[in-house]
Amino acid sequence: MRYQVDWYSPDLVPIGTLQAFESLSLVRTENEVGALVFTLPSKGFTPHSFDNWQYLEVWREKGGVLKLFEETAYFVQDFEFYSKGGQHLVAVYAKDANSLLDTRIVADPPGGARAELESYADNIMKAIVRNELTDAHGTSPERIIPGVSVQANVGQSVQLYRGVGWQNVLAAVQDVSQSATEKGTYTVFDMVRTGVGLFEFRTYIGQRGADHRWTSGDVRLVGEIYGNLEDPKLGTYHGEERNYVYCGGKGEGAERYIKQVSDPARIGQGFPWNRKELFVDARNQDTNDQVESDAYAALGEHKPKIVMTGKLIDTPGMQYGRDYGFGDVVSVEAYGTTIDCHVASVAINYRADGGETIDISLRGELE
């Protein structure tokens, strides 16, 4: 196992390749900003060697194959020179390309053309990024991030309305992604490295990576009986359930349009105590059909959940980077239940004196 980091200046001029790591840690999590931390002997470096927004690419070699780590790159944010046990070291802290989304806001007030969006959830996320990070729609030149592009619209997720005026771009797309997933269509995003200093904002429906669920025809089985599952947890959660929704549209007082929707089967599971009501404000919607759509969406969002989590362990027969990867879906068995789970987070720790450890977090929900 070997790691190397290709090191560039903020304007993408090559500086060198870093390899003699004391330690190196990587974390990638769906819809989040990932992190890279590495330490090196400080000999040959000065406090001026590293700088804010230097560009880093991590390459991982296994089985003689050198591959870019999970389609991303990193930007230096912090660095420290320090002494430990008489050894002088330098530690470098960097964030992955999703951090670019955190550098911009939706620079339009509520009610503005860029702040009020109604479309498929994946198209809404792409519109936000196009409007605020690229020159696609007349973004002022000083706000454009060179090298950033956006995948073409495909409209595969659920339809939503979102008001995003003055919101942080990362927070806005996270919110849209979460809402779409809660409404029944698993929707995630990523800023994908397509070349040195080049990134494309992409959305994914169903899963971020490959489909290895039970019905895929290319199943990957995970479970304690296979020796590749640790700390499984299967939980059933009714605490946040709401099964009778009042959704208010336009109008005032007694003239306001109110759509009522419910799930009698869910209410009946514990009747009369299990009728759990919710009011949803949908006054922003223009039609009663849109209010009704919001009502049913809220009913779906607040259904009880059956959730499986656990840690996936590498075995000779099933290994990270060979048989599955970040964002894939695998079939997980525990406590007599099988649930398709996403490889939602990958954390790798490498030490020169201890080799590599991989921590894979799984999460799935029974539909």
Side-chain angles (χ1 to χ4, degrees):
M1 182 61 57
R2 182 177 71 88
Y3 285 89
Q4 72 176 48
V5 173
D6 291 348
W7 181 24
Y8 298 79
S9 69
D11 55 357
L12 303 178
V13 175
I15 298 173
T17 298
L18 304 171
Q19 296 187 73
F21 304 106
E22 290 287 317
S23 64
L24 180 145
S25 299
L26 296 155
V27 178
R28 284 276 273 152
T29 302
E30 288 184 337
N31 286 2
E32 300 288 347
V33 175
L36 164 67
V37 181
F38 59 83
T39 60
L40 295 160
S42 64
K43 184 178 181 180
F45 300 105
T46 75
H48 301 290
S49 297
F50 297 97
D51 201 1
N52 190 31
W53 292 102
Q54 285 179 344
Y55 173 90
L56 308 172
E57 292 188 347
V58 180
W59 296 79
R60 178 178 183 259
E61 182 181 1
K62 186 172 184 178
V65 178
L66 188 64
K67 184 179 179 181
L68 181 74
F69 180 74
E70 297 300 357
E71 297 185 307
T72 194
Y74 297 83
F75 297 97
V76 173
Q77 300 291 281
D78 307 302
F79 41 95
E80 299 173 327
F81 284 75
Y82 66 101
S83 178
K84 183 178 181 180
Q87 185 179 16
H88 290 160
L89 301 167
V90 55
V92 177
Y93 304 84
K95 296 181 179 180
D96 76 5
N98 280 343
S99 65
L100 296 174
L101 303 172
D102 192 41
T103 66
R104 297 292 186 271
I105 67 165
V106 178
D108 205 23
R114 303 204 313 272
E116 308 295 326
L117 301 169
E118 185 172 8
S119 183
Y120 296 98
D122 48 333
N123 291 355
I124 290 176
M125 290 190 285
K126 290 171 181 175
I128 293 169
V129 176
R130 282 194 194 98
N131 290 341
E132 309 306 330
L133 276 73
T134 80
D135 61 356
H137 295 288
T139 303
S140 56
E142 67 273 10
R143 302 188 71 231
I144 294 168
I145 300 181
V148 171
S149 62
V150 178
Q151 183 186 46
N153 287 352
V154 291
Q156 294 179 332
S157 190
V158 297
Q159 290 191 305
L160 294 176
Y161 164 83
R162 270 299 180 276
V164 294
W166 299 128
Q167 290 186 20
N168 174 273
V169 167
L170 176 63
V173 295
Q174 286 173 328
D175 174 63
V176 173
S177 171
Q178 181 179 351
S179 292
T181 298
E182 288 176 344
K183 289 182 178 182
T185 301
Y186 193 87
T187 305
V188 293
F189 65 86
D190 201 5
M191 192 72 86
V192 176
R193 180 266 193 199
T194 58
V196 175
L198 300 176
F199 301 96
E200 183 177 62
F201 179 81
R202 297 178 184 174
T203 58
Y204 304 85
I205 309 301
Q207 68 277 331
R208 163 66 175 79
D211 185 359
H212 298 303
R213 70 190 75 207
W214 182 260
T215 58
S216 69
D218 187 25
V219 65
R220 299 288 188 270
L221 297 174
V222 177
E224 291 179 309
I225 61 172
Y226 306 111
N228 57 7
L229 179 64
E230 189 175 77
D231 300 331
K233 181 166 70 173
L234 177 66
T236 301
Y237 305 101
H238 288 270
E240 302 302 319
E241 179 185 5
R242 292 293 181 267
N243 47 41
Y244 199 105
V245 175
Y246 299 83
C247 193
K250 292 186 180 300
E252 298 293 335
E255 301 300 318
R256 188 175 188 184
Y257 176 74
I258 304 292
K259 177 64 180 180
Q260 299 180 46
V261 300
S262 64
D263 188 327
R266 281 160 50 187
I267 292 173
Q269 295 175 357
F271 183 82
W273 300 283
N274 200 46
R275 176 174 167 130
K276 303 173 77 172
E277 298 178 347
L278 174 71
F279 179 80
V280 175
D281 188 345
R283 71 181 69 227
N284 56 281
Q285 300 292 24
D286 294 323
T287 69
N288 290 345
D289 285 345
Q290 291 173 325
V291 174
E292 183 174 340
S293 177
D294 278 7
Y296 279 108
L299 189 66
E301 286 179 29
H302 292 85
K303 66 183 180 182
K305 294 178 172 60
I306 300 175
V307 178
M308 180 91 77
T309 59
K311 303 293 185 184
L312 204 166
I313 305 167
D314 264 10
T315 65
M318 186 170 164
Q319 296 189 12
Y320 167 76
R322 186 190 72 186
D323 304 295
Y324 70 94
F326 173 62
D328 289 1
V329 174
V330 295
S331 181
V332 180
E333 301 176 22
Y335 308 108
T337 303
T338 299
I339 296 181
D340 296 322
C341 290
H342 295 262
V343 180
S345 182
V346 176
I348 292 181
N349 291 286
Y350 170 82
R351 294 192 61 84
D353 58 358
E356 180 187 70
T357 59
I358 304 177
D359 189 3
I360 310 289
S361 296
L362 298 167
R363 190 183 192 281
E365 189 172 320
L366 194 63
E367 298 297 329

